[in-house]
């Protein structure tokens, strides 16, 4: 089973309705929750580990998990409130986030809340601000350290300046997690925030030397680069009419992880054995999945029949 760790929240999409008011469309979100949903929609077994409130928003999140077939066995319920993320798009459809989540349920996970697995997860994925803010970040690091020898560990920094504006903290945290991580997926925008003076190639090669076996850098409409050992592959983007990019990175992440497991990757040794052809097919599959999400409003991730051709090509 894939175990996806982190936050589940509500995105409130704001649109000016008059010079003095804003109308909001509330949608379930949270990067890790989206990744878990993306995996189940791709036919994978996924569980979510995170804190979910008992408030009205939290109850809706639990119902969403049930509808999407995501295991709820690892969830920690509490009376802390649900994080709210206000999202407003720029002229290019890119989302800007403002978070209201101090002491919210997704952050208030303690080491004592860590699950015990009867069987080691196939993949353990962490990402976004819950990998940085305390106390949840410390708990997740302890979980990774406990499980890293028995599972493939994946990490997406998913920088959120409106949650923590200090980019040095994001950079330090990312580098601290590298020795514990097998796969890192990161956007070029995030790299520009935490390492603005370095090239993508230099960053990726430097990170590979610190532990991970695979680095994938997404470049929006321009596609993605993958770095594995001394190799680099570049895959072009897929042209679509963009509604917005909310959930695109999470879609890519889910497709990447599902594809790795379909290719038989279970550890760093298997990552090193990926040849260029399989690596290209893997990244192209993730790009196509993300493009479908970009064509729809909000994090409406694709289902397996929409990617049947690309899925069958993964072998």
């Amino acid at each position: 089973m894939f175990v996806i760790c982190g936050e589940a929240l509500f995105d409130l999409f704001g649109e000016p309705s008059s010079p003095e008011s804003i109308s909001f469309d509330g949608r379930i979100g949270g990067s890790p929750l989206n990744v878990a949903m993306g995996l189940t929609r791709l036919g994978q077994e996924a569980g979510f580990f995170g804190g979910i409130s008992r408030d009205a928003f939290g109850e809706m999140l639990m119902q969403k998990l049930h509808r999407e077939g995501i295991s709820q066995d690892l969830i920690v319920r509490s009376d802390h409130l649900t994080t709210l993320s206000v999202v407003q798009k720029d002229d290019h459809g890119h989302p800007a986030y403002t978070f209201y989540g101090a002491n919210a349920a997704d952050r208030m996970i303690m080491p004592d809340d860590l699950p015990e697995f009867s069987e080691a997860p196939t993949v353990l994925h962490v990402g976004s601000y819950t990998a940085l803010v305390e106390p949840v970040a410390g708990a997740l690091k302890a979980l990774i350290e406990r499980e890293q020898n028995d599972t493939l560990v994946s990490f997406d920094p998913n920088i959120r300046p409106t949650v923590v504006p200090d980019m040095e903290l994001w950079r330090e945290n990312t580098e601290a997690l590298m020795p514990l991580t097998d796969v890192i997926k990161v956007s070029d925008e995030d790299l520009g925030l935490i390492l603005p003076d370095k090239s993508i190639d230099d960053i990726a090669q430097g990170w590979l030397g610190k532990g991970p076996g695979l680095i994938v850098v997404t470049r929006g409409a321009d596609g993605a680069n993958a770095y594995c050992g001394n190799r680099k592959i570049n895959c072009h983007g897929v042209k679509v009419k963009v509604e917005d990019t909310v959930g695109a990175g999470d879609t890519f992440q889910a497709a990447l992880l599902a594809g790795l497991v379909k290719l038989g990757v279970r550890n760093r040794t298997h990552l090193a054995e990926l040849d260029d052809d399989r690596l290209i097919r893997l990244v192209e599959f993730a790009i196509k999945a993300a493009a479908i999400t970009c064509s729809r409003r909000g994090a409406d991730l694709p289902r397996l029949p929409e990617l049947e051709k690309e899925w069958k090509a993964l072998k």
Side-chain angles (χ1 to χ4, degrees), residues 8-12 26-28 52-64 77 80-84:
L9 49 78
F10 261 78
D11 290 317
L12 302 182
R27 301 287 183 96
I28 287 171
I52 293 183
S53 176
R54 296 189 182 93
D55 64 14
F57 291 112
E59 291 302 325
M60 293 185 69
L61 289 170
M62 294 296 291
Q63 293 168 16
K64 175 67 170 177
R77 302 299 302 274
H80 297 285
L81 299 178
T82 300
T83 293
L84 300 180

Side-chain angles (χ1 to χ4, degrees), residues 1-9 28-50 52 61-62 64-75 123-128 154 156 158 185 247-258 293 299-304:
M1 183 172 72
F2 296 81
V3 174
I4 312 302
C5 310
E7 71 266 16
L9 49 78
I28 287 171
S31 174
L33 176 57
N34 289 339
V35 173
M37 175 173 67
L39 285 163
T40 58
R41 290 189 176 191
L42 292 175
Q44 307 302 305
E45 183 183 2
F48 180 79
F49 171 60
I52 293 183
L61 289 170
M62 294 296 291
K64 175 67 170 177
L65 289 164
H66 176 73
R67 289 195 301 273
E68 296 290 343
I70 301 168
S71 173
Q72 304 175 38
D73 293 345
L74 308 177
I75 290 171
V123 175
L124 181 66
H125 173 74
V126 300
S128 198
S154 167
D156 175 11
N158 201 19
K185 190 278 292 181
D250 304 327
T251 306
F252 189 104
Q253 182 76 68
L256 179 71
L257 296 179
T293 298
D300 184 6
L301 283 66
R303 300 180 185 277
L304 191 57

Side-chain angles (χ1 to χ4, degrees), residues 89 93 238-248 251 287-302 306:
K89 294 185 294 182
V238 175
K239 290 186 178 180
V240 295
K241 182 180 179 182
V242 176
E243 176 63 26
D244 64 44
T245 61
V246 176
T251 306
I287 289 172
K288 177 64 181 296
I292 292 172
T293 298
C294 288
S295 71
R296 309 195 281 226
R297 184 173 187 183
D300 184 6
L301 283 66
E306 298 176 89

Side-chain angles (χ1 to χ4, degrees), residues 32 120 179 285 305:
F285 172 66

